[in-house]
Amino acid sequence: MSETDPVPAGPRQRPRRLRSTLTVALVLALAGLMFTANARLARGEESRHPENLAQLVDRESGRVERLSGTVDSLNDEIETLSAPSGPVPAVDSDQIMRTAVAAGTVPVSGPGLSVALDDAPRDGSHPEGLSADALVVHQQDVQAVVNALWAGGAEAMTLQGQRVTATSAFRCAGNILLLHGRVYSPPYVVEALGDPSAMRAALDRSENIQIYQQYVDAVGLGWSVQDDDDIDMPRYEGALELTYARPATGTPS
């Protein structure tokens, strides 16, 4: 071989060229994927994420309502399949009914109380320097009413028309209330079955409610308590099973 003859490519140059080709192809593929995703977002094709919180709440509320209907249908099916096919031992029917009422698994009706709480009017005359936080109903206000009614002997209860049970939990975020996956705005209405006189006395004894009524007088928070001779309450629509945390495996006690 003379000095002017071209030197053939060595065995180390070919893999290097192959890696360069694959790198360019990968970059082009990623660029194309990003361009396609950006174009879909620009055209509004990606509708999974709503544009604002209100849209998200509406969408999830509708989803919860559909799932609640499914739960109702499944509960009915379970009751049908669980019905005894033959004679069963004698049981205390009154005890069974009391347990079902307490668990919220049956609709009930009867005399009781209706308590309503509402935000203060924004255009009202308020003391100078008062924060906007003092003009709205808070979670502890609703909780105080619920606890007082239970203490006064309430046999069954609803909040915003939904049955309240031992497993019920609600949260207030701003001026909205979250209960069983649904969203509500004030006024918040609590209905309770039981002796109206005993439940009124329990409301009057509650220190938290006495504080709330001071704001009723000062800023105009809404408050009303009414007797009702015939309150109809639906059964609880959610799952009755309790879920709770457990220590991870291997966690020292």
Side-chain angles (χ1 to χ4, degrees):
M1 182 179 296
S2 65
E3 295 180 359
T4 57
D5 291 338
V7 179
R12 294 182 181 178
Q13 294 178 354
R14 291 178 182 174
R16 190 175 300 166
R17 291 177 180 175
L18 179 59
R19 285 198 298 270
S20 300
T21 303
L22 290 175
T23 301
V24 172
L26 180 59
V27 170
L28 291 175
L30 289 173
L33 181 61
M34 293 175 64
F35 176 80
T36 302
N38 288 334
R40 293 181 65 188
L41 287 171
R43 292 196 303 269
E45 294 179 6
E46 288 292 338
S47 59
R48 178 177 174 81
H49 301 288
E51 296 178 357
N52 53 54
L53 180 59
Q55 192 175 10
L56 174 63
V57 169
D58 288 342
R59 176 173 298 178
E60 292 304 312
S61 295
R63 177 170 166 270
V64 168
E65 289 183 6
R66 292 192 298 272
L67 292 176
S68 296
T70 303
V71 169
D72 272 351
S73 299
L74 292 174
N75 283 336
D76 290 339
E77 186 175 350
I78 290 172
E79 289 181 4
T80 300
L81 294 175
S82 302
S85 56
V88 295
V91 293
D92 185 346
S93 58
D94 290 339
Q95 179 63 37
I96 292 177
M97 180 55 66
R98 287 194 297 271
T99 302
V101 170
T105 57
V106 294
V108 291
S109 61
L113 281 184
S114 176
V115 182
L117 304 89
D118 201 356
D119 293 348
R122 296 288 174 158
D123 55 353
S125 176
H126 306 129
E128 224 177 287
L130 192 68
S131 68
D133 199 49
L135 304 178
V136 298
V137 178
H138 293 284
Q139 178 179 325
Q140 62 263 30
D141 302 324
V142 181
Q143 189 69 61
V145 171
V146 171
N147 290 342
L149 292 173
W150 285 130
E155 300 172 10
M157 196 179 305
T158 62
L159 172 58
Q160 301 300 86
Q162 286 206 55
R163 190 74 169 268
V164 175
T165 69
T167 60
S168 297
F170 56 87
R171 296 288 182 272
C172 286
N175 65 339
I176 62 172
L177 180 142
L178 309 175
L179 173 64
H180 299 163
R182 300 182 185 179
V183 181
Y184 300 96
S185 298
Y188 303 128
V189 178
V190 183
E191 292 182 316
L193 296 185
D195 181 357
S197 298
M199 291 189 290
R200 277 183 180 272
L203 291 172
D204 293 338
R205 288 193 303 268
S206 170
E207 293 183 4
N208 290 330
I209 293 177
Q210 291 171 12
I211 294 173
Y212 178 86
Q213 289 179 335
Q214 292 175 9
Y215 283 86
V216 172
D217 297 333
V219 301
L221 284 176
W223 173 260
S224 69
V225 181
Q226 296 181 349
D227 291 7
D228 195 326
D229 294 333
D230 190 14
I231 300 176
D232 293 321
M233 293 187 179
R235 70 178 185 180
Y236 176 58
E237 297 179 353
L240 296 175
E241 293 80 7
L242 286 172
T243 57
Y244 50 90
R246 296 180 180 176
T249 304
T251 302
S253 58

